[in-house]
Amino acid sequence: IIRRRLLKVLSSVPIFENLIYLETKYIQAESILKLLQFTPNLESLVIVRTIEVRTFEGLRDQLQLVKYFLKNARILEGLIIESRYTSKSAAELERETQTKELLLMYPRASTNCKVKFQIPKH
């Protein structure tokens, strides 16, 4: 419900063509994609502290987004990756372990960035 409300609000937001710099302390990965749609001339997005990726399944697009954050976020302190599922089969656990190992090997622009994996909060 909250996500639908956020998307409804974002869809009514005007495009900020003159915005070239934005600094924030916290943002969800899903919101970044929407933000970029409304700021076509944004040259610099500074996320001072943490990015949170929710409902992570290890899909190709999700992996590319996380890789991009790690590679380009020079002052990022934390990347929280929340799994989509609370219970998993043995095969899913194995795939998740491989995905985590892959993510931890990605180069990071920020030497202070800590990657944290967590299960969904209910």
Side-chain angles (χ1 to χ4, degrees):
I1 295 173
I2 294 172
R3 185 171 187 212
R4 269 188 278 171
R5 286 183 190 156
L6 176 62
L7 290 175
K8 185 176 180 181
V9 169
L10 286 176
S11 66
S12 65
V13 173
I15 294 179
F16 297 97
E17 292 183 12
N18 295 327
L19 185 64
I20 59 170
Y21 177 84
L22 178 65
E23 183 172 327
T24 183
K25 292 187 183 211
Y26 176 88
I27 193 166
Q28 292 180 357
E30 297 84 1
S31 299
I32 291 173
L33 298 176
K34 282 289 180 194
L35 172 71
L36 294 175
Q37 289 177 352
F38 297 109
T39 54
N41 296 314
L42 188 66
E43 295 175 6
S44 182
L45 172 61
V46 178
I47 303 167
V48 179
R49 300 190 69 182
T50 301
I51 296 174
E52 183 172 323
V53 180
R54 292 188 178 170
T55 66
F56 186 81
E57 297 179 68
L59 302 174
R60 184 173 165 245
D61 291 345
Q62 292 174 324
L63 288 170
Q64 288 178 338
L65 185 62
V66 168
K67 185 176 182 178
Y68 178 83
F69 291 148
L70 290 172
K71 182 180 178 183
N72 295 290
R74 289 177 276 150
I75 56 175
L76 183 65
E77 291 180 13
L79 178 63
I80 300 169
I81 300 173
E82 184 177 277
S83 175
R84 179 173 184 175
Y85 306 105
T86 54
S87 60
K88 301 172 184 92
S89 67
E92 290 170 326
L93 285 171
E94 176 64 27
R95 189 180 79 144
E96 183 179 84
T97 299
Q98 291 173 350
T99 301
K100 287 178 182 179
E101 290 172 357
L102 178 67
L103 290 174
L104 292 173
M105 291 189 318
Y106 283 161
R108 299 178 199 180
S110 171
T111 56
N112 295 325
C113 180
K114 305 288 187 236
V115 178
K116 179 181 177 184
F117 300 96
Q118 65 187 32
I119 59 172
K121 302 171 196 162
H122 287 105

